[in-house]
Amino acid sequence: MLFTRGMRRSHLIAIDILVAVGPVLLIMLAVGDAGSTRSFQGPGWFGVLVAVAIGLPIGVRRIWPLGSLTIIYLSLAVATVSGMAWGQSGIPFLIPMALALYSLGLLEPRRRSVLALVACLAGTTLAILATAVATEKPPPWETPAMLLLDWLLLATPWAAGRAVRARRADAVNAAEQLARQAVSDERLRIARELHDIVAHSLSLITVKASVANHVARDRPDEARDALRIIEDTSRDTMIEMRRLLGVLRSDSSGLDLAPSPGLGGLRDLADRAGMAGVRVDLDVHGPERLPDGVELSIYRIVQEALTNVVKHAAPAHCRVRVDADERAATVTVVDDGPGVRSLPASSPGHGLIGMRERVMMYDGEFAAGPGHGGGFTVTARLPYRLAGERT
């Protein structure tokens, strides 16, 4: 298998044709040796023809496994009936059948290959018994030993072919399962990204639209400010969604996509939350650059946490702290609003689930709930390794 790995099918067929020459020559030499076979009295051209019919089908065993085995089987039957195989070693005669059985076990369905194997074993048994009866009586132990040897010579390649077939099928199934898992993970990632983008933006838009509706008549300037915030937020959201969905398009290679958001975008999140009535104190400590996936996860966790504050606690004061070193990053978001969120008791909300899933991708730790002194606290720890660090 190591030798044939990576070779083209045409090359393998050419090798089979060369291998087929060996049994043909061995059978021709055995038949032509007058001292070793006295039962075959036919013309020489007949012996050559039968030898070629036994050996050459090996060359097409990969293309026509059942047909090549059938030709070899019938040719061996002719060799037995005509006396060509009497008094000869069965190895040169059975090697072509063994190779054909390997291909049959590898390429054909189980039912067909099993029937072919049984037919070959039965035919070989009849041939050995007929030869023992037609020639001088062999020692009592010789016929059973010959039967066992020939059965092993035929059954072993067939079993090897079935094993290789099963291994290839397992490899294909494993590859398909990995592909399905990759598609599922990518769908989950995209759904999570879309939820974070849409939920954050719509929460801010809803708050500012409510403000604009209430002050439109008495304070038109404040209403215009709220509408301007809605316009800017909507435009930014469309750009980010276009960046995310653009990677799914077949012609996305030509798009000028923005980089994924990271730690540099936390200030914009804080400013947007401030527009919705949540005053945010942002404090970031650690290396200037973290792995891209870690930065994106931190950004989305802070985004979702601030979205929850805007939805459930505004107006409020919120503290966002990010502490990172060479091993892990810790995110803490604490607000002074109501400690109990308006969520069903049976569901923690898609936002909290999304944050927890992001943390679990790094085998980290996540906690969310009312704080001891009031308010609501979200804590996430994401372990990671810097590029080039040894495990």
Side-chain angles (χ1 to χ4, degrees), residues 89-150:
S89 170
I91 302 299
F93 291 88
L94 293 183
I95 284 178
M97 183 179 288
L99 293 175
L101 280 172
Y102 171 82
S103 298
L104 195 76
L106 176 64
L107 302 175
E108 294 291 342
R110 176 184 294 274
R111 179 183 178 86
R112 185 177 301 175
S113 64
V114 169
L115 291 177
L117 174 65
V118 171
C120 290
L121 294 179
T124 303
T125 302
L126 291 176
I128 292 175
L129 295 178
T131 302
V133 172
T135 58
E136 297 179 358
K137 188 175 182 180
W141 54 267
E142 184 174 317
T143 300
M146 189 177 300
L147 279 173
L148 180 60
L149 177 62
D150 289 352

Side-chain angles (χ1 to χ4, degrees), residues 42-380:
W45 62 266
F46 182 78
V48 173
L49 181 61
V50 174
V52 171
I54 293 174
L56 282 189
I58 296 176
V60 295
R61 64 188 178 94
R62 299 177 191 272
I63 305 173
W64 195 25
L66 186 58
S68 63
L69 179 63
T70 302
I71 295 175
I72 294 172
Y73 186 90
L74 296 177
S75 301
L76 287 174
V78 172
T80 302
V81 173
S82 64
M84 289 178 56
W86 296 1
Q88 305 294 333
S89 170
I91 302 299
F93 291 88
L94 293 183
I95 284 178
M97 183 179 288
L99 293 175
L101 280 172
Y102 171 82
S103 298
L104 195 76
L106 176 64
L107 302 175
E108 294 291 342
R110 176 184 294 274
R111 179 183 178 86
R112 185 177 301 175
S113 64
V114 169
L115 291 177
L117 174 65
V118 171
C120 290
L121 294 179
T124 303
T125 302
L126 291 176
I128 292 175
L129 295 178
T131 302
V133 172
T135 58
E136 297 179 358
K137 188 175 182 180
W141 54 267
E142 184 174 317
T143 300
M146 189 177 300
L147 279 173
L148 180 60
L149 177 62
D150 289 352
W151 287 348
L152 289 176
L153 184 63
L154 298 179
T156 301
W158 177 86
R162 296 305 302 177
V164 173
R165 179 186 177 93
R167 188 177 65 179
R168 291 181 180 178
D170 291 341
V172 171
N173 292 335
E176 291 177 352
Q177 183 176 0
L178 288 176
R180 289 193 296 268
Q181 184 63 40
V183 171
S184 177
D185 292 344
E186 184 66 10
R187 287 176 177 173
L188 179 61
R189 184 190 68 82
I190 293 173
R192 189 165 49 230
E193 293 288 321
L194 287 174
H195 171 269
D196 292 344
I197 295 171
V198 174
H200 174 77
S201 301
L202 288 183
S203 297
L204 181 58
I205 290 173
T206 300
V207 171
K208 300 310 291 184
S210 177
V211 171
N213 183 51
H214 282 83
V215 303
R217 178 178 299 177
D218 300 331
R219 289 173 287 179
D221 292 339
E222 187 174 346
R224 282 194 293 270
D225 291 339
L227 292 175
R228 184 172 58 256
I229 293 174
I230 292 174
E231 179 184 4
D232 294 340
T233 302
S234 301
R235 184 182 297 109
D236 293 342
T237 301
M238 289 297 297
I239 293 174
E240 193 167 1
M241 289 184 65
R242 183 174 181 271
R243 177 195 65 80
L244 177 62
L245 297 179
V247 300
L248 302 179
R249 300 173 55 185
S250 58
D251 58 347
S252 60
S253 57
L255 297 177
D256 185 14
L257 302 178
S260 299
L263 297 181
L266 296 181
R267 174 51 58 186
D268 291 337
L269 291 180
D271 293 341
R272 289 184 183 182
M275 297 176 185
V278 177
R279 183 165 56 89
V280 179
D281 293 336
L282 178 63
D283 195 5
V284 180
H285 297 278
E288 294 183 0
R289 288 291 301 167
L290 298 177
D292 292 341
V294 175
E295 288 204 16
L296 177 60
S297 295
I298 293 175
Y299 179 91
R300 294 303 185 199
I301 290 172
V302 173
Q303 183 184 50
E304 184 59 38
L306 291 179
T307 299
N308 287 339
V309 176
V310 170
K311 290 168 60 177
H312 304 293
H317 175 224
C318 181
R319 297 189 304 275
V320 177
R321 182 179 178 89
V322 178
D323 294 298
D325 54 25
E326 296 181 354
R327 297 286 182 177
T330 301
V331 182
T332 305
V333 181
V334 181
D335 66 75
D336 59 1
V340 179
R341 299 301 191 230
S342 56
L343 293 172
S346 60
S347 173
H350 293 291
L352 296 180
I353 293 176
M355 287 190 281
R356 187 181 303 276
E357 288 176 347
R358 291 184 182 277
V359 174
M360 291 302 103
M361 288 174 58
Y362 293 89
D363 294 330
E365 301 172 359
F366 177 80
H372 296 292
F376 199 83
T377 302
V378 173
T379 304

